[in-house]
Amino acid sequence: MKRPEWIPAILTILVVLLFAKVSTDFRDIPYLLGNTTIFAETGLLAIGMTLVIISGNIDLSVGSTLILTSCLTAKFMGAGVPNIVAIGFALIVGTLLGAINGLLVAYAKLPSFLVTLGTMAMYRGVAQAMLGASGADVAPGMKGLDRAALLGLPYPLIIFLSCALVVGLLLHRMTLGRWLFGIGTNKDAAHYTGFPVQRATVTTFALTGFLIGIAALMLNSRLGVARYDMEPGIELKAITIVVAGGTAISGGKGSMLGTVLSWLLLYFVRTGMGVTNIKAEYQLTIIGLILILSVFAQQIAANFSSNRLKKQTKLGN
Amino acid sequence: MKIKRELGLIVVLVIFNVLCALKEPNYISPRNIDSILLWMPLLLVAAIGQFPVIVARGIDISVGSILGLSAITTGVLLKTHPNLSLLALFVIGALVGIILGCINGLLIAFGKIPAVVATIGTLTLYRGLTFMVSGGDQIDASTIPDKLTALANSGWTFKEVTVSWLLIIGITFAIIAACATRFAQFYRNVFAYGSNPDAAYLRGISPTMVQMVCYGASGLMGGIAGIMFLSRFGNASPSSAGSGFELVVIASVAIGGVKITGGSGSVLGVFLGCLLLSCINVALTALKFNADWQQLIYGITILIALIIDSASQIRRTRSAA
């Protein structure tokens, strides 16, 4: 009961059983796997967001960073560079955009909510000023790479899961992770303990940007064209995934496992609602309800266990 | 000390407008002033609702969806009852807003869900409800009575400049809120709670009460802004009415110098923040900038405001030490 991940885990199982009973399409495993490509970008954003939220910050600009990176990369590829250069370019641009957020938060000591609100408007604004209403075509060599699969697993899914694994290890097994939990719990205490608060913050935002760079490549390859108005509201989806996965928005608590489970939950809910022809309007309502209910459930579970702890200490006295 | 911030904003506003006028002599024309004044009321009303929420260390991200749901619900009612009076329309919008705001309040004050999370959830939830109420249909111009659109198109005319009724409504709310921050016990409680929740609690201020009223009020203003939206634009679609509005509202409150960490800010600042964003918006078209630049300029404005704030704060702490 101590780990909040059991809530998305149980919900995921319930959702899968429910939809598998209702719809035959939902029992089609290759379809389910293939469909993950649409949701993998959101997952990558959520991985970065997990780190940012655990360290007590928030990044509202992830969606705009994704769009700007993908537009710049598509434009850059128009000059006719080989794929490998374009991939490197996207990763560098993403990392830089993330690092700008990190520098403003860490060294200018500005609240991350407002900094990233600003860069959210700014990054998408740059993409809009650059492309206007037209789209930038992605070079043919880059299109459709996302449809390739290894042993039936589409590449975006593999990339998402391996990123989650690597970043999860970074978070839960390495020094950087320990710093982040410390900073998220109490920034001043972390500073006096000797944690490099500023450096860790910049690293977190830059790493998020790096992951967004990967997502931007997947987006380009999937859509074949880059526009400034793609994926509106994806940042809120990413935050929803992270928070429904048991990461505390106030920082200091959370896990990568929770984010992955919650990603699965939202993926199954979305796909299930799609194959059972639930209207788009109801889908939004249901997603909103899931977020509120899962956070509510975590709250109750946390209260329950802290009450029990209090009782135990009382008995001990 | 607090006045400095507003003075700074006024200086920025004056410099900005003078620069624009120098660059483009037609900038200070009745038409442009009209459009500044038309753009502002919606933002102002919603920002005044957001103001106590942010002072009390919270945030209401769902305000754009509240605006949408209020506009669409009223529009749907207008389809079956086209003869509703103006007052009735505003009452319906306000009621929808209060109910939605109180749901936020319940989640945050009693459910103990962090405000960012709760209102991101209700942002999606209310947007979904908007589709369900309207069945996905638009509210088109024919359903909206002329007397409602007249609020946006007519008003007090001085020479060639028209101050629309909407702006008069907005400014009335701003004046009421400004007086209330001075004289109403509730606002004092909000500021006390925002400065130090524990101390406020020990002084007998109920945190649940403060939060319920703040979010209820923010919902109320969002609901009223929904009716103003119908009046201003003359139509509403469930997907786009008010979507993305929450961020402009939060930006204008932040530019107005309300600290996002709570406990300080003024209605005058919020008013000036809204005015600055409206001026920027109109200046872009007047200076024949592509509309595509709007987002970029907004972002830069927010960041500059932030950096100036933190720079002045650092200097203050240094001179104090």
Side-chain angles (χ1 to χ4, degrees), chain B residues 29-307:
Chain B
S29 66
R31 221 186 96 237
N32 268 336
I33 296 177
D34 274 0
S35 47
I36 292 177
L37 299 183
L38 257 184
W39 207 82
M40 211 177 120
L42 277 167
L43 189 56
L44 184 58
V45 167
I48 285 169
Q50 187 80 242
F51 166 66
V53 174
I54 293 187
V55 171
R57 299 195 172 188
I59 196 152
D60 184 357
I61 302 182
S62 69
V63 62
S65 296
I66 293 181
L67 184 155
L69 188 48
S70 142
I72 295 289
T73 314
T74 317
V76 169
L77 277 175
L78 272 172
K79 276 185 183 166
T80 47
H81 311 277
N83 293 324
L84 286 171
S85 70
L86 266 185
L87 183 67
L89 292 179
F90 275 97
V91 170
I92 294 166
L95 276 179
V96 172
I98 288 185
I99 294 170
L100 299 179
C102 285
I103 296 176
N104 284 339
L106 283 175
L107 290 172
I108 294 161
F110 292 98
K112 308 272 180 235
I113 298 179
V116 182
V117 179
T119 53
I120 284 180
T122 52
L123 173 83
T124 330
L125 183 72
Y126 298 160
R127 183 60 61 189
L129 289 178
T130 313
F131 281 99
M132 287 159 88
V133 168
S134 70
D137 294 336
Q138 286 218 357
I139 308 298
D140 45 7
S142 58
T143 30
I144 294 168
D146 291 338
K147 59 191 173 196
L148 187 57
T149 44
L151 286 182
N153 300 329
S154 63
W156 284 344
T157 311
F158 301 108
K159 293 178 186 165
E160 287 167 81
V161 180
T162 308
V163 179
S164 68
W165 294 116
L166 282 189
L167 186 66
I168 293 170
I169 297 175
I171 289 181
T172 313
F173 276 121
I175 291 172
I176 294 174
C179 294
T181 43
R182 283 284 153 109
F183 303 115
Q185 186 64 44
F186 166 68
Y187 269 96
R188 290 199 199 166
N189 291 351
V190 169
F191 275 87
Y193 179 80
S195 314
N196 188 336
D198 295 334
Y201 179 72
L202 292 179
R203 273 191 54 196
I205 296 168
S206 152
T208 45
M209 199 58 204
V210 166
Q211 285 176 327
M212 278 306 290
V213 178
C214 280
Y215 289 97
S218 171
L220 166 73
M221 298 309 256
I224 291 174
I227 308 299
M228 295 167 85
F229 182 94
L230 283 182
S231 160
R232 167 76 178 81
F233 293 97
N235 62 11
S237 92
S239 61
S240 68
S243 109
F245 185 63
E246 56 279 349
L247 297 173
V248 188
V249 173
I250 295 169
S252 62
V253 174
I255 291 175
V258 179
K259 259 168 67 183
I260 200 89
T261 43
S264 93
S266 74
V267 175
L268 180 63
V270 172
F271 174 80
L272 293 171
C274 293
L275 189 58
L276 183 62
L277 278 187
S278 311
C279 285
I280 290 173
N281 200 39
V282 173
L284 285 178
T285 19
L287 300 183
K288 299 185 187 68
F289 263 106
N290 205 324
D292 294 333
W293 285 77
Q294 187 188 337
Q295 289 248 352
L296 177 57
I297 308 272
Y298 272 5
I300 294 174
T301 316
I302 297 172
L303 288 180
I304 291 178
L306 271 178
I307 291 169

Side-chain angles (χ1 to χ4, degrees), chain A residues 113 117 120 132 236 249 281-282, chain B residues 59 114 123 131-132 247 292:
Chain A
F113 186 89
L117 181 71
M120 171 182 170
L236 296 183
I249 197 88
E281 45 249 49
Y282 292 88
Chain B
I59 196 152
L123 173 83
F131 281 99
M132 287 159 88
L247 297 173
D292 294 333

